[in-house]
Amino acid sequence: MRTRILALTAAAVVSVPVLTATASAAPRDLNAPYARAAARVGADGTLLATKNVSSVARFNGQPVGYYCVAVSDPTINLRDAAVLATVNNYRAMITAIPNSNCNGQTRTITIVTSNHNNDLADVPFTVAVL
């Protein structure tokens, strides 16, 4: 009986790291003191770090290069804001379209990324609303 309890306890302790390793991490806070909203996004659309950005999603099911960035702060008027976007450590091009109707949502920024040949491509990027 004692051996069985010891074996079950050991199995439980060993399985804990496996369970925690498979869980997806929440995006961390983005240190952007002069931006009203900002996000660092992975090429696959994963929100890596954020400040007043609630989500990033694919645009209307496009396979590559189109992203919808949703600003969560309702006091930010994207129509009158300066929106900057840059690719992260990649030779590529990026376009940011503020106040777009992205997947039927308002208060969004459409991001379109392409590679150096101007072909649509998934590229990591950072976007900021000043």
Side-chain angles (χ1 to χ4, degrees):
M1 174 80 164
R2 184 172 190 189
T3 305
R4 184 174 174 205
I5 292 172
L6 183 59
L8 289 175
T9 304
V13 170
V14 170
S15 67
V16 170
V18 173
L19 293 175
T20 57
T22 59
S24 62
R28 65 181 201 269
D29 290 337
L30 184 61
N31 183 12
Y34 302 107
R36 293 185 287 160
R40 185 172 301 122
V41 180
D44 63 354
T46 302
L47 189 56
L48 303 173
T50 180
K51 176 181 180 180
N52 292 327
V53 170
S54 58
S55 66
V56 176
R58 290 286 185 192
F59 181 80
N60 292 329
Q62 293 290 329
V64 295
Y66 283 86
Y67 306 88
C68 295
V69 178
V71 176
S72 59
D73 185 344
T75 65
I76 296 174
N77 182 355
L78 290 174
R79 192 174 321 228
D80 298 328
V83 176
L84 303 174
T86 185
V87 294
N88 295 346
N89 301 321
Y90 199 84
R91 192 173 146 211
M93 293 172 271
I94 190 166
T95 302
I97 307 164
N99 203 38
S100 62
N101 183 351
C102 200
N103 286 340
Q105 298 177 1
T106 57
R107 254 190 351 269
T108 58
I109 303 164
T110 299
I111 300 289
V112 181
T113 57
S114 55
N115 63 20
H116 62 280
N117 290 325
N118 204 25
D119 298 321
L120 291 174
D122 289 336
V123 177
F125 63 92
T126 299
V127 61
V129 178
L130 306 179

